[in-house]
Amino acid sequence: MINSTRLPLGIKTKNTLVYFAFGLFFVVTACESTPTEKLVSAQETAKQANTDLEKAKVDYLNEIDNYRKEANAKIAENDKSIAEFKARVANEKQDAKAEYKMKIAELDLKNSDMKKQINDYKADTKDKWETFKTNFNKSMNDLGDSFKKLAATK
């Protein structure tokens, strides 16, 4: 065996690199998965992906259900307001009564349309849901503004 203390620095470094490369090769080849291990890993990954997908579907349907409940609660509040407006109109003069009844009927129709929209919505894609929700929120806000305007005229 050659005494490594007498070898030039470049040769020592080359020897060290060769030993390191052989060691790395053995480590890498020992860590490679067999085809069966790769298949099992892929199956586990697919199973986890399916579990995640199912959870996302459940979360999505729960979001729609919760939103539907909130919207129906607002619609029920609107129904109460309509009933209150109708009760107040009974005490109005005949001229004001006709215009007031017409406005109440418009609000009632819009409120019924909103109820139908939210109850008839069928779960589709997340993008379509977000679009529906944005449009529905705008319509509900507009309806709320109309209720405020009618209340302010009294």
Side-chain angles (χ1 to χ4, degrees), residues 83-139:
E84 291 170 5
F85 289 142
K86 286 179 180 179
R88 277 197 263 167
V89 81
N91 299 328
E92 292 296 315
K93 295 178 185 173
Q94 194 61 29
D95 294 343
K97 193 183 279 193
E99 184 181 344
Y100 204 60
K101 279 185 177 183
M102 185 177 74
K103 289 180 182 180
I104 293 170
E106 288 174 12
L107 290 176
D108 195 16
L109 180 61
K110 287 179 185 178
N111 200 49
S112 295
D113 287 345
M114 297 301 294
K115 185 174 186 174
K116 182 171 176 26
Q117 282 181 29
I118 192 65
N119 289 332
D120 288 351
Y121 180 80
K122 301 291 182 226
D124 200 359
T125 65
K126 184 75 171 168
D127 289 339
K128 287 183 180 178
W129 165 244
E130 292 300 327
T131 300
F132 171 83
K133 194 166 63 168
T134 299
N135 293 336
F136 190 85
N137 281 338
K138 182 184 180 325
S139 296

Side-chain angles (χ1 to χ4, degrees), residues 3-20:
N3 185 355
S4 64
T5 57
R6 293 184 180 221
L7 293 174
L9 183 60
I11 294 175
K12 286 183 189 178
T13 306
K14 286 180 185 174
N15 284 340
T16 303
L17 287 175
V18 169
Y19 291 132
F20 177 76

